[in-house]
């Protein structure tokens, strides 16, 4: 009896401590259409550095994918092997106009996207897993820094003013 009670309390604690993403206002068909059209943005809610714990991040950090451009404005927490020269900014901030983009369908109809920027020497590769409900996991592998992962959701690109 004590063992069962202990297990139930532990499961409740883990469920209460696990991150809750904001639900996406998009339908599964809209999410998949945005991904197939390569016109979406990833809004980050949590960051998980390599070897660290997941952290809730406040602010509006995004990773945007447009047919002809990638734009990243994300925080970075982790170890750098080489400091960026001539830049006072930290974080994963870059724009790429030359990149390869491949998308495959994984289990559960999720999209597994691999992006390789050709004009960013520090970025080794970007992997993005997008679920039908709009939740997504983003991982950026860097040449000069430890890899970092982000959790968030997919939305439409903002309309130009």
């Amino acid at each position: 009896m004590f063992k069962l009670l202990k297990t139930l309390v532990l499961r409740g604690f883990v469920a209460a401590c696990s991150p809750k993403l904001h639900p996406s206002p998009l339908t599964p068909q809209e999410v998949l259409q945005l991904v197939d059209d390569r016109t979406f943005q990833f809004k980050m809610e949590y960051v998980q550095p390599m070897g660290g714990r997941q952290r809730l991040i406040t602010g509006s950090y995004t990773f945007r994918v447009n047919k002809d451009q990638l734009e990243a404005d994300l925080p970075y927490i982790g170890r750098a092997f080489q400091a960026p020269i001539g830049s006072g900014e930290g974080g994963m901030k870059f724009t790429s106009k030359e990149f390869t983009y491949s998308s495959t369908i994984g289990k559960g109809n999720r999209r597994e996207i691999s992006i390789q920027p050709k004009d960013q020497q520090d970025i080794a590769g970007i992997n993005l897993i997008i679920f039908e409900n709009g939740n997504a996991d983003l991982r950026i592998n860097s040449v000069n820094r430890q890899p970092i992962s982000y959790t968030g959701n997919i939305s439409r690109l903002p309309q130009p003013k």
Side-chain angles (χ1 to χ4, degrees), residues 121-153:
Q121 295 179 357
D122 185 45
I123 306 300
I126 301 166
N127 296 307
L128 188 60
I129 297 175
I130 301 172
F131 301 91
E132 282 185 302
N133 65 1
N135 290 344
D137 294 321
L138 172 68
R139 181 180 173 99
I140 300 179
N141 295 313
S142 172
V143 174
N144 296 315
R145 305 180 203 184
Q146 289 179 321
I148 189 163
S149 298
Y150 305 94
T151 303
N153 56 50

Side-chain angles (χ1 to χ4, degrees), residues 12-31:
F13 179 74
V14 169
C17 293
S18 62
K20 305 284 189 258
L21 294 175
H22 292 99
S24 174
L26 303 173
T27 66
Q29 293 80 13
E30 291 172 321
V31 169

Side-chain angles (χ1 to χ4, degrees), residues 16-99:
C17 293
S18 62
K20 305 284 189 258
L21 294 175
H22 292 99
S24 174
L26 303 173
T27 66
Q29 293 80 13
E30 291 172 321
V31 169
L32 298 178
Q33 187 64 47
L34 290 173
V35 173
D36 291 342
D37 290 345
R38 299 180 188 187
T39 56
F40 62 89
Q41 70 179 355
F42 168 84
K43 289 188 173 184
M44 185 209 58
E45 293 184 23
Y46 294 90
V47 60
Q48 183 163 3
M50 184 175 174
R53 62 180 179 79
Q54 190 174 47
R55 300 173 190 181
L56 174 66
I57 299 293
T58 58
S60 59
Y61 295 101
T62 59
F63 177 78
R64 292 187 174 110
V65 176
N66 206 333
K67 290 180 184 181
D68 56 350
Q69 181 173 300
L70 296 176
E71 190 178 337
D73 180 13
L74 299 167
Y76 181 78
I77 302 168
R79 178 183 229 169
F81 305 117
Q82 180 178 347
I85 297 173
S87 174
E89 291 187 24
M92 287 286 184
K93 297 179 183 180
F94 62 88
T95 300
S96 175
K97 294 189 181 218
E98 288 185 46
F99 57 91

